[in-house]
Amino acid sequence: NPKICKMNLLLKNATILDNQNPFHKQQVDIEITEGIISKIGKNLAVKEGFKIIEKENLHVSQGWLDTSVVFGEPGFETTETIENGLKVAAKSGFTNVFLHSNTNPAIDNQAIIQFVKSKAQNNVSNLHIVGCLTKNSEGTDLAELFDMKNAGVVAFGDYKKSMTNANLLKIAFQYVDNFDGILFVQPMNKELKGKGFVNEGKVSTKLGLKGIPAMAEEIEIERNIALLEYTKGKLHIPTITTKKSVELIAKAQAKGLQITCGVSVNNLVLTDEELVDFNSNTKIYPPLRTETDRKALIEGVLNNVISVITSDHCPVNIEHKQLEYDLADYGSIGLESAFGALQTVLPTEMIVEKFTAQKSYFNIENPTISEGNKAELTLFNPNEEWVFGKENILSFSKNSIMMGKKMKGKVYGIITNNKIEI
């Protein structure tokens, strides 16, 4: 594989963004010898055999993490393969992604984990697996959690599914506590959701679309927090969408409970006003909410109640999207547009922090940009303004909620594991 050659690089005039770093916001050269940062300084001499990387307004940060992506393989390779998905992640700036199970068979045992890992080998981005919490993600019996932990999963969760059975969730918290396991649980009360598929509010009423009340998420969060408090477990809520959800999680954190949460780029940038033209790419789960919610989510990011931002990358085949709105599948791809979209609503440094700070929480190495450390870097230009179009989509599936939206900032690529994707 040509990417694994001994790689010596010199990044010229790179502005480091890393607030724990003495070179923070300084423009320097970074010399990388066989995957290790060998020198940082001004106007470094170019050694023989080193490839020079010069880019306009080059900025460099620690490698980014995306905590919620799905690809489809095994079972739905036409939607996305692991190999192409990881290439998309790398081009989008993510050195690490958490792959969730929307596959057939489900990622609920050691054998499937080994298969997925074998498909991820020799790619530039690192793939980490969130194993199913219940067998086949059906919510009835716990999956082989300890076996999967030994096979190297980072956490457990049934992708986009809440845990209807409160007792099973209680037992899961207690069981994984033996090996410091983290549960990913998407909150949604099934009865309150009913047949709804967009935010319940003025827009859904006006358009005649069945709504999901904010309360469906919030009541489930309250229940899950009560179970968390009882079991003293570790809970991560992948994507929250409402103002009250932010408040509930802030209160639980203030009590000292081990609860973290993420938010999707989509919910930070867009609202349910997007639904007016019935474009099924705006049908995501959990749904787009109101402007009040969006502002509260931004606030939650800024005051650190929300610790990660995810692209919530979910490829869907065209035949499952080009349907009447209520019949279309949920989901939007998001890796390619994540950084550019976020920069229209948040400062660059905050985005970088949300993409990097939680790696240690999930036991993922996060080397700082220092001499002697492994080079795990994301390369980007925070300034360029552009419009997201079809030509910017690298995924097999083209279902982007961001089509035609203004973006700010472009990603050049990543360096990690002595490999580069630019």
Side-chain angles (χ1 to χ4, degrees), residues 65-69 94 100 159-160 184 186-187 217 236-242 245-246 249 260-271 274 281-290 293-301 305-314 330-335 337-346 351 354-355 399-402:
L65 163 69
D66 192 337
T67 50
S68 182
V69 306
F94 296 96
H100 293 248
Y159 179 65
K160 298 286 186 191
F184 277 52
Q186 187 64 51
E217 174 173 303
H236 179 76
I237 303 173
T239 48
I240 63 168
T241 65
T242 81
S245 294
V246 180
I249 292 162
T260 56
C261 68
V263 64
S264 153
V265 173
N266 305 321
N267 290 86
L268 290 174
V269 177
L270 306 171
T271 69
E274 295 292 319
N281 285 335
T282 63
K283 185 178 179 182
I284 58 169
Y285 187 85
L288 294 173
R289 300 286 188 185
T290 66
D293 293 312
R294 190 190 74 80
K295 284 186 170 148
L297 293 168
I298 293 274
E299 192 55 41
V301 166
V305 174
I306 298 171
S307 54
V308 295
I309 300 173
T310 169
S311 72
D312 208 14
H313 183 80
C314 179
Y330 292 109
S332 167
I333 56 171
L335 284 165
S337 52
F339 180 65
L342 279 177
Q343 283 235 123
T344 63
V345 295
L346 283 170
I351 297 165
K354 296 297 167 183
F355 280 165
N399 57 308
S400 171
I401 199 169
M402 294 295 174

